[in-house]
Amino acid sequence: MAIHDDLFPVTTPAAKLAGHVVGSDISTLSEVEIAERIADLSAEIERLKRALEDKRASRFAAENVFKR
């Protein structure tokens, strides 16, 4: 049985942020486009913060197991 790409799509961080590249020229963007990018990037920051908290919690739990 073959694995289909539509079942396991390959994604990159750039694709998730609709093409925003940090440090790119934003002078041609409209107010709406800038607001949308801010919203997208804010959501991504929150997602990263949650991931960091989860990683730290996992490490803390593992450290406590091995301290016994």
Side-chain angles (χ1 to χ4, degrees):
M1 184 171 171
I3 297 177
H4 299 286
D5 288 337
D6 56 343
L7 295 175
F8 301 100
V10 176
T11 59
T12 61
K16 292 180 184 179
L17 295 176
H20 181 76
V21 176
V22 175
S24 63
D25 180 22
I26 58 172
S27 65
T28 60
L29 298 177
S30 69
E31 290 181 33
V32 171
E33 290 170 321
I34 292 171
E36 288 172 352
R37 287 197 185 190
I38 290 170
D40 290 344
L41 291 168
S42 295
E44 181 66 4
I45 289 168
E46 289 306 313
R47 185 180 75 88
L48 288 166
K49 285 180 179 179
R50 287 190 305 274
L52 181 58
E53 289 172 4
D54 291 346
K55 296 275 185 179
R56 286 179 175 165
S58 293
R59 181 178 43 83
F60 180 74
E63 287 173 352
N64 282 335
V65 167
F66 292 108
K67 283 183 182 179
R68 294 180 180 184

